[in-house]
Amino acid sequence: MIALIQRVSEASVTVEGEVTGAIGQGLLVLLGVEQGDDEAKADKLLHKVSGYRIFSDENGKMNLNVSQVGGSLLVVSQFTLAADTGKGMRPSFSGGAHPADAERLYECFVARARESGVPTETGRFAADMKVRLLNDGPVTFWLQV
């Protein structure tokens, strides 16, 4: 399971002209599900995402996590993160989870994020989405479990 996280001042996702999720300060989480992923990996990745200390403390050091700054998560499914780009000029998606499994684990990740108390907004699984963000830094990290 993969999360590309971006520290944002604001972010939103729109599907068919409708904003499905929007946050102020927090993390945009692009979430990719691979074959073999399960609920345990979703939990481990959520723990890493929510605990990752990439927000500045009073001394300007990256020392605080999203909860400590009162931030939110915007979780957007992104199957292309599971692409194999090692050969040729066209990505292969054979390592991605079956769509039903990917949706189940995406929903699991979102539900557990909400249960953890971090305000969480979402895109719409498997939809054509338009994502807007104001990356703060820019600060972007690739997390994989």
Side-chain angles (χ1 to χ4, degrees), residues 1 31 39 42-43 46-47 73-76 102-123:
M1 189 168 270
L31 187 68
E39 290 84 358
D43 287 341
L46 175 61
H47 177 75
L73 302 178
L74 176 57
V75 184
V76 177
E103 183 173 16
R104 179 179 54 80
L105 290 171
Y106 168 79
E107 295 297 341
C108 172
F109 184 93
V110 168
R112 292 188 176 153
R114 288 177 172 151
E115 290 167 6
S116 77
V118 178
T120 303
E121 297 285 321
T122 66

Side-chain angles (χ1 to χ4, degrees), residues 57-87:
D57 64 14
E58 65 279 355
N59 297 314
K61 302 283 186 198
M62 284 190 198
N63 204 27
L64 302 173
N65 65 41
V66 68
S67 293
Q68 291 171 316
V69 297
S72 303
L73 302 178
L74 176 57
V75 184
V76 177
S77 64
Q78 176 107 29
F79 80 94
T80 60
L81 290 176
D84 178 356
T85 60
K87 293 182 183 176

